[in-house]
């Protein structure tokens, strides 16, 4: 039986072959068309009186005053300048050229081009719609293990500065997390659970708080409602801790609630200075629920141990989690680098190292720094205070700027405490980029750096923060082109205004040289073809 798709001209195979043929033949079609245009101009030169028209145009142009040319070049400079400003703004905001994006999105498919599937795909937005954004496995966002409290920390920042530290995209992801975490079984929802499920979706903080109180009125033992109040209504860590303790007493056997509440209580103890108590709570939680490693509770533990300066315990935790089979993070890689740097940094001198070479311990520290920088190259600028820090988001993208902000926000103090560690980092971190000159194509110790981090980080970080981009993008061609065009036309306008006669002579010489090949082509055509042939052709 004959395959029906083979005879169908609308089948995908036929369409792809047609596009491929059109793309292949496009260059030759353009050349043939250009040649036919030249022939038609020559054939119709006499019947259409093109010579007289050209002469009239020349006379008209000769009668124009220099002011006209000043206005013409000045207008061209203004228009190209406006295009340049728009292109620069679009590039700074979205990381690409608007003209280039429109060309690739609309003109390339018409010309038979196929967009690379390695860099584009469907990226599901927070409301469930599919957006044409980069979508590869590295673009997965993770819950920030050390995320702050909205009421006691994020809101206080807003009250002082008037700026929103969290994006709507980030908060929407948190709402989805809470819905899944606290009301996962939709088949057995109690009335108060339905209210809380709606509360997590509310965009307005006051509406969420009112819904939480409504759920408590329906059931005084609604632990999820107390969790929401602790997160969003409590204005101090002490008040948040009190509400979390209340929620813990009524959480029952709900494992998700128990893990979340105990973790937040440990974080409250850490913020209130009861660090040993926080460490014990985190260790107990990891022993009680060993299968919940995806929650990255060990990162909370590492930060608390560093605050205690219990470096042996930190090394023991790293020995378990800094394993080749486990996913890495900036906390794992940079904490490992900090421990190795701390062992040699107090006596490290770049001048002495250049004379005698690096010792084994120093080489291990440098290699650990290179490893950490390869994993996340955005962190060093925050640790070295070359970029200003902001409050970390509630979600991070591993190897992205959002993860770098979150790590540096909590760990900068630990690097400062280790004498000479930041100096060693300053002297060695840029050497990483000589090891991986083409990070998007090939990595050294990790997979190639994902090219989608900028898009996801712009969604997670507030607009007032300048997103760190790696590798640094070169300016698009159209920005350089419009900048050159604007400068060139502005220079022409100024020269024409200052030296009108000289520029007039220059313009005539330029156009004479420009049209010389066309005249040469016409003369050669007349010499090759008999005059009677052209006379008969023009009569036709």
């Amino acid at each position: 039986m004959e395959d029906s798709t083979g005879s169908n001209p609308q089948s995908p195979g036929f369409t792809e072959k047609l596009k491929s043929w059109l793309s292949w033949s496009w260059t030759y079609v353009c050349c043939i068309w250009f040649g036919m245009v030249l022939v038609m101009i020559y054939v119709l030169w006499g019947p259409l009186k093109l010579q007289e028209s050209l002469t009239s145009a020349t006379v008209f142009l000769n009668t124009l005053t220099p002011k006209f040319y000043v206005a013409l070049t000045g207008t061209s400079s203004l228009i190209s300048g406006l295009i340049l400003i728009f292109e620069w703004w679009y590039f700074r905001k979205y990381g690409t050229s608007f003209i280039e994006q429109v060309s690739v999105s609309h003109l390339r498919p018409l010309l038979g081009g196929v967009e690379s599937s390695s860099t584009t795909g469907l990226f599901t937005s927070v409301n469930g719609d599919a957006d044409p954004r980069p979508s590869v496995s590295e673009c997965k966002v993770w819950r920030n293990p050390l995320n702050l409290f909205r009421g006691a920390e994020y809101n206080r920042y807003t009250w002082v500065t008037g700026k929103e530290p969290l994006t709507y995209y980030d908060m929407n992801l948190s709402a989805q997390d809470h819905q899944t975490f606290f009301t996962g079984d939709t088949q057995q929802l109690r009335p108060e659970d339905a209210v809380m499920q709606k509360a997590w979706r509310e965009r307005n903080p006051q509406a969420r708080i009112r819904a939480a109180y409504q759920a408590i009125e329906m059931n005084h033992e609604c632990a999820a409602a107390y969790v929401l109040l602790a997160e969003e209504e409590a204005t101090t860590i002490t008040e948040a801790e009190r509400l979390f303790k209340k929620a813990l007493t009524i959480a029952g056997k709900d494992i998700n609630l128990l893990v979340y509440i105990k973790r937040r209580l440990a974080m409250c103890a850490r913020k209130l200075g009861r660090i040993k108590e926080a460490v014990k709570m985190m260790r107990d939680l990891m022993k009680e629920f060993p299968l919940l490693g995806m929650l990255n509770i060990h990162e909370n533990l590492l930060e608390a141990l560093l605050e205690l300066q219990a470096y042996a315990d930190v090394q023991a935790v790293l020995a378990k989690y800094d394993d080749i089979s486990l996913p890495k993070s900036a906390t794992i890689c940079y904490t490992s680098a900090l421990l190795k740097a701390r062992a040699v940094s107090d006596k490290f001198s770049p001048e002495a190292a250049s004379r005698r070479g690096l010792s084994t311990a120093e080489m291990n520290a440098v290699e650990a720094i290179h490893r950490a920088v390869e994993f996340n190259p955005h962190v060093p600028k925050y640790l070295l205070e070359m970029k200003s820090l902001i409050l970390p988001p509630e979600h991070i993208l591993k190897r992205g700027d959002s993860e770098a902000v979150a790590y540096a926000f909590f760990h900068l103090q630990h690097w400062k405490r280790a004498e000479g560690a930041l100096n060693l980092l300053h002297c060695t971190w840029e050497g990483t980029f000589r090891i991986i000159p083409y990070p998007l194509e090939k990595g050294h110790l990790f997979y190639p750096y994902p090219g989608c981090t900028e898009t996801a980080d712009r969604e997670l970080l507030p607009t007032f923060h300048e997103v760190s981009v790696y590798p640094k993008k070169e300016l698009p061609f159209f920005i350089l082109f419009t900048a050159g065009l604007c400068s060139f036309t502005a220079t022409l306008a100024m020269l024409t205004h200052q030296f009108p006669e000289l520029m007039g002579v220059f313009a005539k010489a330029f156009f004479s040289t420009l049209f010389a090949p066309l005249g040469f082509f016409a003369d050669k055509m007349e010499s090759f073809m008999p005059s009677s042939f052209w006379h008969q052709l023009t009569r036709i």
Side-chain angles (χ1 to χ4, degrees):
M1 181 177 179
E2 188 178 30
D3 188 5
S4 59
T5 59
S7 60
N8 183 8
Q10 301 298 328
S11 63
F14 177 80
T15 304
E16 293 300 325
K17 289 181 180 179
L18 181 61
K19 284 186 176 181
S20 176
W21 182 83
L22 288 175
S23 178
W24 172 80
S25 62
W26 190 259
T27 304
Y28 302 98
V29 170
C30 289
C31 294
I32 295 172
W33 177 83
F34 184 70
M36 292 177 62
V37 168
L38 292 178
V39 172
M40 290 298 296
I41 290 175
Y42 184 80
V43 170
L44 299 175
W45 189 268
L48 296 181
K49 299 180 179 181
L50 295 180
Q51 181 65 43
E52 291 81 352
S53 302
L54 183 60
T55 304
S56 301
T58 304
V59 173
F60 172 75
L61 293 175
N62 287 334
T63 59
L64 294 174
T65 63
K67 291 183 179 180
F68 170 79
Y69 294 104
V70 173
L72 178 64
T73 52
T75 304
S76 301
S77 177
L78 176 63
I79 294 175
S80 56
L82 293 176
I83 295 175
L84 172 63
I85 292 172
F86 174 77
E87 278 283 296
W88 177 256
W89 169 82
Y90 195 88
F91 174 73
R92 295 283 293 179
K93 186 173 179 63
Y94 299 105
T96 186
S97 165
F98 175 77
I99 300 176
E100 182 180 334
Q101 186 180 30
V102 171
S103 302
V104 171
S105 302
H106 297 89
L107 298 183
R108 189 175 180 183
L110 295 178
L111 299 179
V114 180
E115 196 167 352
S116 174
S117 60
S118 62
T119 57
T120 58
L122 291 180
F123 184 89
T124 305
S125 63
V126 292
N127 56 6
D129 298 331
D131 295 339
R133 299 174 183 153
S135 175
V136 292
S137 59
E138 293 89 347
C139 277
K140 178 183 177 182
V141 294
W142 300 76
R143 183 81 175 175
N144 182 3
L146 287 86
N147 65 303
L148 305 177
F149 295 86
R150 286 192 188 176
E153 292 172 306
Y154 287 120
N155 286 349
R156 290 172 64 185
Y157 176 84
T158 304
W159 297 336
V160 173
T161 64
K163 298 178 180 179
E164 289 290 344
L166 297 176
T167 64
Y168 177 62
Y169 174 77
D170 190 16
M171 291 190 292
N172 214 350
L173 287 178
S174 297
Q176 292 181 2
D177 292 342
H178 292 145
Q179 282 182 267
T180 305
F181 213 58
F182 300 141
T183 56
D185 188 3
T186 57
Q187 300 296 327
Q188 300 179 356
L189 281 182
R190 298 171 298 179
E192 61 272 18
D193 293 332
V195 172
M196 287 307 302
Q197 194 172 45
K198 181 182 177 182
W200 296 121
R201 293 196 301 265
E202 290 286 353
R203 185 170 184 176
N204 188 304
Q206 295 303 318
R208 291 195 293 270
I209 293 172
R210 286 196 299 269
Y213 277 114
Q214 181 184 350
I216 292 175
E217 290 178 1
M218 299 173 68
N219 182 0
H220 292 290
E221 295 188 353
C222 182
Y226 286 102
V227 168
L228 189 147
L229 294 178
E231 291 284 355
E232 305 212 20
E233 189 185 38
T235 56
T236 63
I237 300 299
T238 303
E239 186 180 355
E241 184 181 39
R242 179 183 63 80
L243 289 169
F244 275 122
K245 288 181 177 179
K246 172 68 174 177
L248 182 63
T249 60
I250 58 178
K253 298 182 179 180
D254 191 325
I255 295 179
N256 291 340
L257 267 174
L258 287 174
V259 172
Y260 185 90
I261 294 171
K262 288 183 177 181
R263 180 182 193 166
R264 294 305 258 177
L265 281 172
M267 294 175 69
C268 287
R270 162 67 183 91
K271 293 175 186 293
L272 293 173
R274 306 195 308 270
I275 305 172
K276 292 184 178 180
E277 178 186 343
V279 168
K280 182 179 184 304
M281 294 173 69
M282 293 172 192
R283 290 189 185 278
D284 292 343
L285 191 57
M286 293 168 66
K287 290 179 182 179
E288 188 177 358
F289 304 101
L291 299 180
L292 295 179
M294 67 183 72
L295 298 178
N296 297 322
I297 302 175
H298 59 276
E299 296 194 11
N300 299 82
L301 178 60
L302 283 173
E303 196 280 326
L305 290 173
L306 285 172
E307 181 64 21
L308 287 175
Q309 301 184 46
Y311 296 111
D313 292 336
V314 172
Q315 186 61 57
V317 176
L318 287 176
K320 180 178 180 181
Y321 289 96
D322 192 7
D323 185 83
I324 192 172
S325 62
L326 297 176
K328 299 294 181 290
S329 67
T331 300
I332 293 291
C333 295
Y334 278 90
T335 302
S336 177
L338 173 60
L339 292 190
K340 293 180 180 179
R342 176 181 166 273
V344 298
S345 60
D346 57 336
K347 299 178 182 178
F348 177 78
S349 171
E351 294 79 12
S354 62
R355 289 195 305 268
R356 59 173 170 77
L358 295 174
S359 65
T360 303
E362 290 172 338
M363 183 62 72
N364 291 337
V366 172
E367 289 178 352
I369 289 175
H370 287 175
R371 170 179 178 259
V373 174
E374 181 184 351
F375 182 82
N376 193 317
H378 309 282
V379 172
K381 287 189 176 182
Y382 293 107
L383 293 180
L384 298 172
E385 298 182 273
M386 300 165 65
K387 284 195 69 176
S388 58
L389 273 172
I390 60 171
L391 295 186
E394 293 183 336
H395 289 80
I396 59 173
L397 178 70
K398 288 191 176 183
R399 307 188 74 178
D401 190 35
S402 51
E403 184 190 36
V405 169
Y407 172 80
F409 184 86
F410 293 99
H411 289 262
L412 175 58
Q413 56 181 330
H414 306 315
W415 279 82
K416 287 184 175 181
R417 189 179 292 123
E419 182 182 355
L422 288 176
N423 178 49
L424 180 60
L425 177 67
H426 174 73
C427 296
T428 57
W429 75 279
E430 291 181 322
T432 309
F433 307 126
R434 292 192 290 270
I435 302 174
I436 44 173
Y438 305 103
L440 297 178
E441 300 172 11
K442 186 179 180 181
H444 179 59
L445 298 174
F446 299 99
Y447 288 110
Y449 190 80
C452 62
T453 56
E454 181 185 359
T455 303
D457 279 332
R458 290 187 188 278
E459 296 269 11
L460 292 170
L461 296 170
T463 54
F464 59 81
H465 173 72
E466 183 181 354
V467 174
S468 176
V469 179
Y470 175 79
K472 190 173 180 60
K473 289 186 176 181
E474 297 182 356
L475 288 176
F477 165 77
F478 287 105
I479 289 184
L480 300 175
F481 175 76
T482 52
L485 181 63
C486 178
S487 304
F488 176 70
T489 52
T491 304
L492 282 182
M494 183 182 64
L495 292 175
T496 305
H497 178 71
Q498 294 293 331
F499 311 103
E501 295 182 0
L502 182 61
M503 290 301 294
V505 173
F506 173 78
K508 290 179 181 179
F510 174 76
F511 285 111
S512 298
T513 306
L514 183 65
F515 289 111
L518 184 60
F520 177 79
F521 174 76
D523 293 339
K524 288 297 183 181
M525 289 290 290
E526 287 182 352
S527 64
F528 287 144
M529 297 295 181
S531 58
S532 58
F533 172 78
W534 292 112
H535 178 70
Q536 295 296 329
L537 188 61
T538 53
R539 291 185 62 185
I540 294 175

